């Protein structure tokens, strides 16, 4: 897991960006790419960027200390190259299933259950077509990566 923390003290305006996926499986590396691009742009103060392979229960703690959480990932369903942003709410159960099935709503529920609170959250995702081994993005994903970076960046800089 890679963590980039600007002015890592707790406090007002704290934002958390969790970018996840597998950079060795084509379009599944979208989260990693976006996380690295955001790090290069020097995120606003009180912004923490976490880049990881998969969501794990330990992320519930930093989620509970945030005022906004943004998740970034690739998805299979939808029109190739389509970018979506949806608001998230906690899932039904705070207990994460075994395996790769920890989802953003599960993490929000776990944050609420363990720490008594959860922040507003959004999920930015990009529909991919190439999820086989390799580090090359599909043409549909490649041509909208900068748009996704700009959308997440705008979310971080307009919610201060």
């Amino acid at each position: 897991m890679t963590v980039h923390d600007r002015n890592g003290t707790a406090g007002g305006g704290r934002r958390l960006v969790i970018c996840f996926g597998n950079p060795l499986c084509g379009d599944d590396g979208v989260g990693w790419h976006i996380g690295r691009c955001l790090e290069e742009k020097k995120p606003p103060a009180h912004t923490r960027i976490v880049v990881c392979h998969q969501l794990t229960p330990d992320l519930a703690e930093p989620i509970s200390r945030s005022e906004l959480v943004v998740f970034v990932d690739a998805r299979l369903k939808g029109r190739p190259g389509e970018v979506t942003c949806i608001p998230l709410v906690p899932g039904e159960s705070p207990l994460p299933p075994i395996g790769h099935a920890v989802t953003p709503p599960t993490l929000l529920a776990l944050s609420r259950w363990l720490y008594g609170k959860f922040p507003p959250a959004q999920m930015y995702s990009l529909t991919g077509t190439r999820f086989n081994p390799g580090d090359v993005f599909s043409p549909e994903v490649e041509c909208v990566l900068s748009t996704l970076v700009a959308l997440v960046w705008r979310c971080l800089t307009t919610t201060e």
Side-chain angles (χ1 to χ4, degrees):
M1 175 169 18
T2 301
V3 176
H4 177 85
D5 201 345
R6 298 267 305 186
N7 299 335
T9 58
R14 186 152 177 88
R15 293 169 300 272
L16 175 64
V17 182
I18 302 173
C19 302
F20 60 103
N22 187 341
L24 299 176
C25 288
D27 293 344
D28 199 33
V30 162
W32 282 64
H33 178 82
I34 301 303
R36 296 265 155 63
C37 288
L38 294 172
E39 289 171 351
E40 288 174 9
K41 288 174 73 76
K42 305 289 187 236
H46 304 293
T47 298
R48 182 176 185 195
I49 298 172
V50 175
V51 179
C52 54
H53 284 284
Q54 64 187 22
L55 301 177
T56 54
D58 60 303
L59 291 168
E61 190 271 332
I63 286 172
S64 73
R65 292 185 291 111
S66 300
E67 292 181 10
L68 172 69
V69 178
V70 176
F71 293 90
V72 181
D73 190 25
R75 70 177 182 283
L76 290 166
K77 295 184 180 179
R79 185 177 39 81
E82 177 182 44
V83 175
T84 62
C85 176
I86 59 168
L88 298 173
V89 296
E92 297 283 323
S93 171
L95 302 176
I98 296 172
H100 299 302
V102 177
T103 64
T106 301
L107 285 174
L108 295 173
L110 193 57
S111 175
R112 178 178 60 193
W113 186 62
L114 291 173
Y115 304 101
K117 58 185 174 178
F118 66 93
Q122 299 177 48
M123 175 73 176
Y124 283 89
S125 60
L126 173 55
T127 304
T129 61
R130 183 181 291 162
F131 290 88
N132 51 325
D135 60 356
V136 177
F137 292 123
S138 66
E140 298 89 351
V141 164
E142 185 73 44
C143 62
V144 294
L145 286 170
S146 61
T147 299
L148 182 53
V149 170
L151 288 169
V152 176
W153 185 259
R154 185 171 55 202
C155 177
L156 295 175
T157 57
T158 59
T159 57
E160 294 197 62

